[in-house]
Amino acid sequence: RRGRYNSHTHPGVCVRGASDHRPPEQLTRPSMQHRPRSTTQMFEVIVPPGVRPNQPFSLIAAGQRVLVTCPPNAFPGQKIRFQLQVSQPISKSIEPVKLSYDNERGWTRTIRVTDMKFQWVRMDDKGDIDLNKRFDMKHSAYVRKLDFLEGNDPRMRTGKVCLVPASSSDAVVESKVMHNQKEIVSSADIATAQQKTYEEKAVWFQEICSQLSEDWNDGHIRLVVRRAHLLQDALHSVMSLGPDAFRKIWRFEFAGEPGIDAGGLAREWYQLVTEQIFDPDNGLWLTSSGNQMRMWINPASEISCPEDHLIYFRFLGRIMGKALFDQQLVAGHMDTHLYKHILGWPITFAELEAVDQEFYNSLVSLVDMEDVSMLCLDFTITEETLGTKKNIELIPNGENIEVTNDNLPEYLEANLKYRLMDRIRPQLTELLLGFFDVIPEPLLSIFDFQELELLMCGMPEIDLDDWEANTVYSGLFQDNGGDDPVCRWFWEVVRENFDQETRARLLQFVTGT
């Protein structure tokens, strides 16, 4: 509901203008630090051996990983030129910007010089771009592609999501941010920010968000909710807003309760709302089978909320984006690959292990079989919901296609796509659309998926004594446990040499959250 409420007891949303009270002094926007100027610079490079006309190759230029396409009339050994946007001044000691997805798999995000957009490539052991197009369970990867469409309601963009090969020319992300028809972030700015520490990245990100936010005097939003109907009131209020409202300052009130929102009410509002929407009892999310501390989208959420389950995912996307924009935290930790979907990072076959280890192991075992056709498999999968079994085709006409050793890679690929995209496509689409109603996608490209989770859920206070006391040792350390010299050295390093961020990353690695 929209409009102006005279009574503080009515739930809903109120859009206020310049005549209303000014924000509390401690919550005024921080000033934007001076941003380095960007300029276009000409580079000259020799076409590497083995590169054919119209074939892409990768190199480091001005500290950035760059994707260059060999001109039609060029050949190996010939010099070619290209232009690249860089920050001034360029330090001679600048480290190469290489957003590596996984050193073992070699996926790297590059700047495509033809249009200055981000694109993923995989580098092989020789440092060349891997052009293999057939699915390989060890190296192949996919990224989500989100196409925005105009909807019938101006407050609600629509769109469609699919998985495309990570190296596809369609799997690109803009490398600049526009605001009021002006470029406020360039590809060179992003390349510079990528080299910062996590804390420095977070500061840079919030500075850009503060520049994107609307001034208090240009209008602000007042949200009133009833505690007894918190989720419903919050949903109705947020979903009644147009895209412009998410860059305005929000103030929160609980109906019938005195209090001025100086930050505390906002923290409580985000905490309570996200706790409720991630609650498995509501049927929208499930605890992950691989990690009980993580949440996974319920593929059968429509059964729990048959009329409006998708609107809750659009609502959550907007809340997560707004929380990130306003330096607030959300209460739910999602499965790792969902953060990668938000970032547009590559998803590999190994992701299935964290989602369903038993299913993953069963697929891996097929690779070592002498004759897969002996299992009489086809390109279908059987799922059970509320006692009802349903056969689902992984590809068109899948029930009539037998799995053989020849088409096994395509079978593994189809299972990857279904498990990590197709079965939750409607919910994921709405979540991403809501999130990008608030956050410009290029701003996220400075973070990896672990950093994004820390930014959204907060840096944990880690009790090292409790961690050490509850660590289970195996293998060579099973007998002596924590008394083994190597284990003592390990904990000594964690205590004395690791800062909070490094400890949090280690904890994410060993526990998955």
Coordinates of all heavy atoms in Angstrom, one line a residue, residues 1-3 13-15 150 152-157 214 219-221 223 234-250 314 318-319 322 325 433-439:
R1 N 0.8 -1.2 0.0 CA 0.0 0.0 0.0 C 0.9 1.3 0.0 O 1.9 1.3 0.7 CB -0.9 0.0 1.2 CG -2.1 -1.0 1.1 CD -2.8 -1.0 2.4 NE -2.1 -1.8 3.4 CZ -2.5 -2.0 4.6 NH1 -3.6 -1.6 5.0 NH2 -1.8 -2.7 5.5
R2 N 0.4 2.2 -0.8 CA 1.2 3.4 -0.9 C 0.4 4.6 -0.4 O -0.8 4.6 -0.3 CB 1.7 3.7 -2.3 CG 2.4 2.5 -2.9 CD 3.0 2.9 -4.2 NE 4.1 3.9 -4.1 CZ 4.8 4.3 -5.1 NH1 4.7 3.7 -6.3 NH2 5.7 5.2 -4.9
G3 N 1.1 5.7 0.0 CA 0.4 6.9 0.4 C 1.0 7.4 1.7 O 2.0 7.0 2.2
V13 N 3.6 1.6 3.7 CA 4.8 2.4 3.2 C 4.3 3.8 3.0 O 3.3 4.0 2.4 CB 5.4 1.8 2.0 CG1 4.4 1.6 0.9 CG2 6.6 2.6 1.5
C14 N 5.2 4.7 3.4 CA 4.9 6.1 3.2 C 6.1 6.8 2.5 O 7.2 6.6 2.9 CB 4.6 6.8 4.5 SG 4.4 8.6 4.4
V15 N 5.8 7.4 1.3 CA 6.9 8.2 0.6 C 6.9 9.6 1.0 O 5.9 10.3 0.9 CB 6.6 8.0 -0.9 CG1 7.8 8.7 -1.7 CG2 6.5 6.6 -1.3
E150 N 11.1 -5.9 -20.2 CA 10.1 -5.0 -19.7 C 8.8 -5.7 -19.4 O 8.3 -6.4 -20.2 CB 9.9 -3.8 -20.7 CG 11.1 -2.9 -20.8 CD 11.5 -2.2 -19.6 OE1 10.6 -1.9 -18.7 OE2 12.7 -1.9 -19.4
N152 N 4.7 -5.7 -17.7 CA 3.5 -4.9 -17.8 C 3.4 -3.9 -16.7 O 2.8 -2.8 -16.9 CB 2.3 -5.8 -17.8 CG 2.2 -6.8 -19.0 OD1 2.7 -6.4 -20.1 ND2 1.7 -8.0 -18.8
D153 N 4.0 -4.2 -15.5 CA 3.9 -3.3 -14.4 C 5.3 -2.6 -14.3 O 6.3 -3.2 -14.2 CB 3.7 -4.1 -13.1 CG 3.5 -3.2 -11.9 OD1 3.9 -2.1 -11.9 OD2 2.9 -3.7 -10.9
P154 N 5.3 -1.2 -14.4 CA 6.6 -0.5 -14.4 C 7.4 -0.7 -13.1 O 8.6 -0.4 -13.1 CB 6.1 1.0 -14.5 CG 4.7 1.0 -14.1 CD 4.1 -0.3 -14.5
R155 N 6.7 -1.2 -12.0 CA 7.4 -1.4 -10.8 C 8.2 -2.8 -10.8 O 8.9 -3.1 -9.9 CB 6.5 -1.4 -9.6 CG 5.8 -0.1 -9.4 CD 4.7 -0.2 -8.4 NE 3.6 -1.1 -8.8 CZ 2.6 -1.4 -8.1 NH1 2.4 -0.9 -6.9 NH2 1.7 -2.2 -8.6
M156 N 7.9 -3.6 -11.8 CA 8.4 -5.0 -11.8 C 9.0 -5.3 -13.2 O 8.3 -5.6 -14.2 CB 7.3 -6.0 -11.5 CG 6.7 -5.8 -10.1 SD 7.5 -6.8 -8.9 CE 7.0 -8.4 -9.3
R157 N 10.3 -5.4 -13.2 CA 11.0 -5.9 -14.4 C 10.8 -7.4 -14.5 O 10.6 -8.1 -13.5 CB 12.5 -5.6 -14.4 CG 12.8 -4.2 -14.8 CD 14.3 -4.0 -15.0 NE 15.1 -4.4 -13.8 CZ 16.4 -4.3 -13.7 NH1 17.1 -3.9 -14.8 NH2 17.1 -4.7 -12.6
E214 N 19.8 8.3 -3.1 CA 19.2 9.6 -3.2 C 19.3 10.4 -1.9 O 19.4 9.8 -0.8 CB 17.7 9.4 -3.4 CG 17.4 8.7 -4.7 CD 17.7 9.5 -6.0 OE1 17.7 10.7 -5.8 OE2 18.0 8.9 -7.0
G219 N 13.4 13.0 -1.0 CA 12.3 12.0 -0.7 C 12.9 10.8 -0.1 O 14.0 10.4 -0.3
H220 N 12.1 10.2 0.8 CA 12.5 9.0 1.6 C 11.3 8.2 1.8 O 10.2 8.6 1.6 CB 13.3 9.4 2.9 CG 12.6 10.4 3.7 ND1 12.7 11.8 3.4 CD2 11.7 10.3 4.7 CE1 12.0 12.5 4.3 NE2 11.4 11.6 5.1
I221 N 11.6 7.0 2.3 CA 10.5 6.0 2.5 C 10.4 5.6 4.0 O 11.4 5.4 4.7 CB 10.9 4.7 1.7 CG1 11.1 5.0 0.3 CG2 9.7 3.7 1.9 CD1 10.0 5.5 -0.5
L223 N 8.5 2.8 6.4 CA 7.9 1.5 6.4 C 7.4 1.2 7.8 O 8.1 1.2 8.7 CB 8.9 0.4 5.9 CG 9.3 0.5 4.5 CD1 10.7 -0.1 4.3 CD2 8.3 -0.3 3.6
A234 N 5.7 -6.5 5.5 CA 6.9 -6.1 4.8 C 6.8 -6.4 3.4 O 7.2 -5.6 2.5 CB 8.1 -6.8 5.5
L235 N 6.2 -7.6 3.0 CA 6.1 -8.0 1.6 C 5.2 -7.0 0.9 O 5.6 -6.5 -0.2 CB 5.5 -9.4 1.6 CG 5.1 -9.9 0.2 CD1 6.3 -10.2 -0.6 CD2 4.2 -11.1 0.2
H236 N 4.1 -6.6 1.4 CA 3.2 -5.7 0.8 C 3.8 -4.3 0.6 O 3.6 -3.7 -0.4 CB 1.8 -5.6 1.5 CG 1.1 -6.9 1.5 ND1 0.2 -7.2 2.6 CD2 1.0 -7.9 0.7 CE1 -0.4 -8.4 2.3 NE2 0.1 -8.8 1.2
S237 N 4.5 -3.9 1.6 CA 5.1 -2.5 1.5 C 6.2 -2.5 0.5 O 6.3 -1.6 -0.4 CB 5.7 -2.2 2.9 OG 4.7 -2.1 3.9
V238 N 7.1 -3.5 0.5 CA 8.3 -3.4 -0.4 C 7.9 -3.7 -1.8 O 8.4 -3.0 -2.8 CB 9.3 -4.5 0.1 CG1 10.4 -4.6 -1.0 CG2 9.9 -4.1 1.4
M239 N 6.9 -4.6 -2.0 CA 6.5 -4.9 -3.4 C 5.6 -3.8 -4.0 O 5.3 -3.9 -5.2 CB 5.8 -6.3 -3.5 CG 6.7 -7.4 -3.0 SD 8.4 -7.4 -3.9 CE 7.9 -7.6 -5.6
S240 N 5.2 -2.9 -3.2 CA 4.4 -1.8 -3.8 C 5.3 -0.6 -4.3 O 4.8 0.3 -5.0 CB 3.5 -1.2 -2.7 OG 4.2 -0.5 -1.7
L241 N 6.6 -0.8 -4.1 CA 7.6 0.3 -4.5 C 8.1 0.1 -5.9 O 8.2 -1.0 -6.3 CB 8.7 0.3 -3.5 CG 8.4 0.6 -2.0 CD1 9.6 0.4 -1.1 CD2 7.9 2.0 -1.9
G242 N 8.4 1.2 -6.5 CA 9.0 1.2 -7.8 C 10.5 1.1 -7.7 O 11.1 1.3 -6.6
P243 N 11.2 0.9 -8.8 CA 12.7 0.7 -8.7 C 13.4 1.9 -8.1 O 14.4 1.8 -7.4 CB 13.1 0.6 -10.2 CG 11.8 0.0 -10.9 CD 10.7 0.7 -10.1
D244 N 12.9 3.1 -8.3 CA 13.6 4.3 -7.8 C 13.6 4.4 -6.3 O 14.5 5.0 -5.7 CB 12.9 5.6 -8.4 CG 13.1 5.8 -9.9 OD1 14.0 5.1 -10.4 OD2 12.3 6.5 -10.5
A245 N 12.6 3.7 -5.7 CA 12.5 3.8 -4.2 C 13.7 3.0 -3.5 O 13.9 3.3 -2.3 CB 11.2 3.2 -3.8
F246 N 14.4 2.2 -4.2 CA 15.4 1.4 -3.5 C 16.7 2.1 -3.3 O 17.6 1.6 -2.7 CB 15.6 0.0 -4.2 CG 14.4 -0.8 -4.2 CD1 13.5 -0.9 -5.3 CD2 14.0 -1.5 -3.1 CE1 12.4 -1.6 -5.2 CE2 12.9 -2.3 -3.0 CZ 12.1 -2.3 -4.1
R247 N 16.8 3.3 -4.0 CA 18.0 4.1 -3.8 C 17.7 5.2 -2.8 O 18.6 6.0 -2.5 CB 18.4 4.7 -5.1 CG 18.8 3.6 -6.2 CD 20.1 3.0 -5.9 NE 20.3 1.9 -6.9 CZ 20.8 2.0 -8.1 NH1 21.1 3.2 -8.6 NH2 21.0 0.9 -8.8
K248 N 16.5 5.3 -2.3 CA 16.1 6.3 -1.3 C 16.4 5.8 0.1 O 16.7 4.6 0.3 CB 14.6 6.6 -1.3 CG 14.2 7.3 -2.7 CD 12.7 7.6 -2.6 CE 12.2 8.2 -4.0 NZ 12.8 9.5 -4.2
I249 N 16.4 6.7 1.1 CA 16.7 6.3 2.5 C 15.4 5.7 3.1 O 14.3 6.3 2.9 CB 17.1 7.5 3.3 CG1 18.5 8.0 2.8 CG2 17.3 7.1 4.8 CD1 18.9 9.3 3.4
W250 N 15.5 4.6 3.7 CA 14.3 3.9 4.4 C 14.4 4.1 5.9 O 15.5 4.1 6.5 CB 14.3 2.4 4.1 CG 13.9 2.1 2.7 CD1 13.8 2.9 1.6 CD2 13.6 0.8 2.2 NE1 13.5 2.2 0.5 CE2 13.4 0.9 0.8 CE3 13.6 -0.5 2.8 CZ2 13.0 -0.2 0.0 CZ3 13.3 -1.6 2.0 CH2 13.0 -1.4 0.6
R314 N 11.1 -12.7 -5.2 CA 11.4 -11.3 -5.7 C 11.6 -10.4 -4.5 O 12.5 -9.6 -4.5 CB 10.3 -10.8 -6.6 CG 10.4 -9.4 -7.1 CD 11.5 -9.2 -8.1 NE 11.1 -9.8 -9.4 CZ 10.8 -9.2 -10.4 NH1 10.7 -7.8 -10.4 NH2 10.4 -9.8 -11.5
R318 N 15.0 -8.3 -3.4 CA 15.1 -6.8 -3.1 C 15.6 -6.5 -1.7 O 16.4 -5.6 -1.5 CB 13.7 -6.3 -3.3 CG 13.2 -6.2 -4.7 CD 11.8 -5.6 -4.8 NE 11.5 -5.1 -6.2 CZ 10.4 -4.5 -6.6 NH1 9.5 -4.1 -5.7 NH2 10.3 -4.1 -7.8
I319 N 15.2 -7.4 -0.7 CA 15.6 -7.1 0.7 C 17.1 -7.4 0.8 O 17.9 -6.6 1.4 CB 14.8 -8.1 1.6 CG1 13.4 -7.6 1.7 CG2 15.4 -8.0 3.0 CD1 13.2 -6.2 2.1
K322 N 18.9 -4.4 -0.9 CA 18.8 -3.2 -0.1 C 19.6 -3.3 1.1 O 20.2 -2.3 1.6 CB 17.3 -3.0 0.2 CG 17.0 -1.7 1.0 CD 17.5 -0.4 0.3 CE 17.1 0.8 1.0 NZ 17.6 2.1 0.4
F325 N 23.1 -2.6 0.1 CA 23.2 -1.2 -0.3 C 23.3 -0.4 1.0 O 24.0 0.7 1.0 CB 21.9 -0.8 -1.1 CG 22.1 0.5 -1.8 CD1 22.7 0.6 -3.0 CD2 21.5 1.6 -1.3 CE1 22.8 1.8 -3.7 CE2 21.6 2.9 -1.9 CZ 22.2 2.9 -3.1
L433 N 16.2 -11.0 -10.1 CA 15.6 -9.8 -10.6 C 15.4 -8.8 -9.4 O 15.6 -7.6 -9.6 CB 14.3 -10.1 -11.2 CG 14.3 -10.8 -12.6 CD1 12.9 -11.2 -13.0 CD2 14.9 -9.8 -13.7
G434 N 15.0 -9.3 -8.3 CA 14.8 -8.4 -7.1 C 16.1 -7.9 -6.7 O 16.2 -6.7 -6.3
F435 N 17.2 -8.7 -6.6 CA 18.5 -8.2 -6.2 C 19.0 -7.1 -7.0 O 19.5 -6.1 -6.5 CB 19.4 -9.4 -6.1 CG 20.8 -9.2 -5.5 CD1 20.9 -9.4 -4.1 CD2 21.9 -8.7 -6.2 CE1 22.1 -9.1 -3.5 CE2 23.1 -8.4 -5.5 CZ 23.2 -8.7 -4.2
F436 N 18.9 -7.3 -8.4 CA 19.4 -6.3 -9.3 C 18.5 -5.1 -9.5 O 18.8 -4.2 -10.2 CB 19.8 -6.9 -10.6 CG 21.0 -7.9 -10.5 CD1 20.9 -9.2 -10.9 CD2 22.2 -7.5 -9.9 CE1 21.9 -10.1 -10.7 CE2 23.2 -8.3 -9.8 CZ 23.1 -9.7 -10.2
D437 N 17.3 -5.1 -8.8 CA 16.5 -3.9 -8.7 C 17.3 -2.9 -7.9 O 17.0 -1.7 -8.0 CB 15.2 -4.2 -8.1 CG 14.1 -4.7 -9.1 OD1 14.4 -4.5 -10.3 OD2 13.1 -5.2 -8.6
V438 N 18.2 -3.3 -7.1 CA 18.9 -2.4 -6.1 C 20.4 -2.3 -6.5 O 20.9 -1.1 -6.6 CB 18.8 -3.0 -4.7 CG1 19.3 -2.0 -3.7 CG2 17.4 -3.4 -4.4
I439 N 21.1 -3.4 -6.7 CA 22.5 -3.3 -6.9 C 22.9 -3.4 -8.3 O 22.5 -4.4 -9.0 CB 23.2 -4.5 -6.1 CG1 22.8 -4.5 -4.6 CG2 24.7 -4.5 -6.3 CD1 23.4 -3.3 -3.9

